[in-house]
Each structure stands twice: as C-alpha cells, then as structure tokens.
Amino acid sequence: MNDTNRRLMFHGMCLFLLGLLTGFAEQHFANVRMGLAAHLEGVMNGIFLLALGAAWPHVRLSATATAIAFWTMLYGTYVNWFMTLLAAIFGTAALSPITGVGHSGLPWQESLVTAGFMSVGIVIVFASALVLWGLRKQAQA
C-alpha cells in the first residue's frame, strides 16, 4: 500500500465535496440544525482525511494493522457524515442533545441512527489510537 496516503487524500476531497453539497440542501431536511451538522461533518472529516493522508508516510504499522487503520478511518469518517445526514433527513434526536432538540423520528429511525453513531464512535477512537501507535517514536526504527 505505497499509495495509501494519496488514497486517503482522494477520499478526503470526496468527503469534503459531499459536505459542501450537503450544505446546499440543508434547508430541505426535517431537522435543519442536523443538516448543518451533516454539512460540517463532511467538510471537517474531509479535511481530517487530507491531513491524515499527509501524515500517513510517517505511520509505521504492520501490513495488517495498516489496512485496518485505513479502512476503519474511511468507515468512521464516511459513516459519521452519512449518519448525521440520515438524522437530518429523518429528523431524529438520537445521541444529539443539542441539534436534536424538538425533533424525533420513528423508533426504527432513532435506533438506526443511534447504532450508526455508536459504531462510528467506537471505530474512530480505535482507528485514531492505532494511527497514534504507528506515529510513536519507537515505531520510527
């Protein structure tokens, strides 16, 4: 995976563009505040992937750990944007005490968005810890 950093930057720009496009539609969502959050999630997660792509050549992990870090980062960033977008479309308040005030979706929608956000939280923390491990000083050798 010698071009992994370029792939991360490509996905960063894709997610950044999705975030920008989400911003054009935010007034049409059931929950406009969550629409704004989806716009910001796309833009910020895209920038995060761009920065990670720039730092990636310095990450020292085994081939398996590298693949896990790459795919979990992509999962975490894309699904974070997508679940926030779904929450805006459905008008759910799942795990969103500020942006979800006064909104609620159907029980299955609330459950879906809750499960999605919980999976993102677990995966992105795990992936970040893995990348941090690969950036430690001892990993340079």
Side-chain angles (χ1 to χ4, degrees):
M1 279 200 207
N2 56 359
D3 68 334
T4 304
N5 60 324
R6 187 172 175 81
R7 291 171 57 203
L8 283 167
M9 289 187 263
F10 172 82
H11 284 287
M13 284 308 302
C14 285
L15 198 49
F16 186 84
L17 180 60
L18 287 171
L20 292 176
L21 295 174
T22 303
F24 288 129
E26 68 188 42
Q27 293 298 316
H28 303 286
F29 296 126
N31 182 344
V32 176
R33 282 185 180 173
M34 194 63 83
L36 174 61
H39 158 68
L40 293 173
E41 287 298 341
V43 169
M44 290 187 307
N45 280 304
I47 292 169
F48 170 71
L49 287 177
L50 284 167
L52 182 60
W56 197 259
H58 303 287
V59 176
R60 303 285 183 252
L61 295 168
S62 70
T64 302
T66 297
I68 291 169
F70 175 81
W71 289 108
T72 54
M73 279 297 183
L74 289 185
Y75 174 87
T77 53
Y78 275 102
V79 174
N80 190 9
W81 164 78
F82 184 69
M83 283 298 138
T84 309
L85 181 68
L86 278 183
I89 292 168
F90 294 155
T92 64
L95 300 178
S96 308
I98 296 172
T99 55
V101 171
H103 293 277
S104 65
L106 299 173
W108 72 267
Q109 294 169 335
E110 294 285 347
S111 295
L112 175 67
V113 171
T114 298
F117 279 145
M118 289 180 71
S119 75
V120 165
I122 293 166
V123 167
I124 205 74
V125 168
F126 172 76
S128 297
L130 197 55
V131 170
L132 182 62
W133 179 256
L135 288 170
R136 71 194 189 287
K137 188 172 185 174
Q138 293 83 3
Q140 291 177 350

